[in-house]
């Protein structure tokens, strides 16, 4: 049973458009969320993290977290072809140790 | 940036054979992880470790053993490899976030 669910499974966005990705944990004890990006044939790399309710922005990327519903979302504005990748959401009960569980990912394709 | 080196990068094994995947890190991180990645499943946690001598079961440990003989090295062992273990395996260390190695592509025929 997947404890971290991501939606949609895949997403096509025109270049310059907004991409919105979702992630929800069914484990009520998680407190920490990360978003990773994985380009084809490469290893995942951390994109953003969020641990408190609210919003966090870094350049074109914004993450939201609602701890009551254990839902996080990633929004990419002005999408570029280089944003085409698999986006993975991960959740953990602890900040620096223990299990870090991933969702199944959202495959984002940016159409020129 | 964390340096995590996996070997081999590619491996073809026979069903029933023994396979050892190795991971070495040079950043003195206590926590190390083994994941496998299959299409449609994201990354699934196999085993992890808090430090030398420690191994913990992840979500899908069946058919796998892990060994952490030192701070730097963490191995994943398939004693009797099966075709269902064909996958891409990632080792990672953790300090706040995960730092991944380049991955090992394993095919069990």
């Amino acid at each position: 049973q997947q404890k971290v669910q991501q939606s949609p499974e895949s997403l096509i966005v025109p270049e310059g458009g907004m991409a919105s990705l979702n992630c929800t944990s069914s484990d009520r004890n998680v407190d920490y969320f990360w978003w990773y990006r994985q380009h084809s044939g490469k290893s995942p790399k951390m994109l953003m993290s969020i641990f408190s309710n609210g919003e966090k922005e870094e350049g074109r990327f914004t993450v939201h977290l609602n701890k009551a519903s254990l839902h996080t979302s990633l929004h990419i504005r002005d999408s570029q072809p280089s944003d085409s990748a698999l986006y993975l959401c991960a959740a953990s009960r602890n900040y620096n140790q223990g299990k870090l569980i991933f969702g199944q990912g959202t495959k984002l394709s940016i159409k020129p | 940036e964390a340096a995590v080196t996996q070997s081999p990068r590619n491996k073809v094994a026979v069903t029933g054979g023994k396979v050892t995947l190795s991971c070495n890190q040079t950043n003195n991180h206590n926590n190390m992880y083994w994941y496998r990645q299959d299409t449609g499943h994201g990354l699934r946690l196999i085993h992890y470790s808090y430090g030398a001598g420690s191994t913990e079961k992840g979500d899908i440990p069946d058919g796998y053993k892990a060994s952490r003989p030192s701070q730097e090295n963490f191995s994943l062992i398939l004693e009797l490899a099966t075709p269902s273990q064909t996958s891409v395996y990632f080792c990672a260390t953790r300090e706040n976030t995960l730092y991944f190695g380049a991955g090992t592509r394993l095919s069990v025929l």
Side-chain angles (χ1 to χ4, degrees):
Chain A
Q1 181 186 359
Q2 196 81 24
K3 290 186 177 177
V4 177
Q5 290 283 351
Q6 291 185 242
S7 64
E9 284 188 18
S10 62
L11 182 63
I12 300 173
V13 172
E15 185 174 353
M18 171 76 86
S20 295
L21 291 66
N22 297 292
C23 172
T24 303
S25 171
S26 59
D27 182 348
R28 301 296 308 174
N29 294 308
V30 299
D31 270 326
Y32 303 92
F33 290 87
W34 291 262
W35 285 93
Y36 288 78
R37 181 168 67 182
Q38 183 179 25
H39 287 109
S40 181
K42 303 294 186 182
S43 56
K45 285 190 168 45
M46 200 271 286
L47 189 61
M48 291 186 74
S49 60
I50 188 161
F51 309 142
S52 303
N53 269 326
E55 176 182 300
K56 183 175 175 181
E57 182 177 331
E58 292 180 4
R60 296 184 295 109
F61 299 87
T62 302
V63 290
H64 294 266
L65 176 61
N66 180 326
K67 294 193 93 169
S69 60
L70 295 175
H71 178 261
T72 178
S73 57
L74 172 68
H75 306 272
I76 308 171
R77 61 176 173 80
D78 189 24
S79 296
Q80 303 297 309
S82 59
D83 295 328
S84 295
L86 181 68
Y87 288 79
L88 295 158
C89 173
S92 176
R93 296 181 181 187
N94 297 297
Y95 176 59
N96 202 26
Q97 65 178 16
K99 289 187 178 183
L100 203 159
I101 303 301
F102 284 83
Q104 78 279 22
T106 293
K107 184 175 180 181
L108 175 64
S109 299
I110 305 303
K111 201 168 186 180
Chain B
E1 185 162 320
V4 182
T5 305
Q6 292 185 233
S7 62
R9 291 293 316 278
N10 293 281
K11 173 76 177 178
V12 178
V14 295
T15 298
K18 182 177 180 177
V19 177
T20 299
L21 306 183
S22 299
C23 180
N24 176 272
Q25 59 120 346
T26 58
N27 289 279
N28 202 33
H29 291 172
N30 289 328
N31 303 300
M32 296 186 74
Y33 298 76
W34 277 106
Y35 290 90
R36 64 177 283 177
Q37 186 171 36
D38 306 286
T39 304
H41 287 281
L43 289 158
R44 291 185 289 175
L45 180 61
I46 307 170
H47 285 289
Y48 60 105
S49 169
Y50 291 116
S54 135
T55 60
E56 304 288 335
K57 292 182 179 179
D59 289 337
I60 53 162
D62 293 346
Y64 302 94
K65 285 171 53 177
S67 174
R68 182 89 182 267
S70 65
Q71 180 78 341
E72 295 79 20
N73 295 294
F74 189 38
S75 298
L76 186 68
I77 303 148
L78 291 66
E79 295 276 6
L80 293 168
T82 68
S84 64
Q85 294 175 313
T86 292
S87 187
V88 178
Y89 292 84
F90 286 101
C91 174
T93 68
R94 184 175 179 184
E95 184 168 275
N96 308 332
T97 187
L98 288 173
Y99 297 89
F100 287 89
T104 294
R105 186 173 296 275
L106 174 66
S107 296
V108 182
L109 305 177

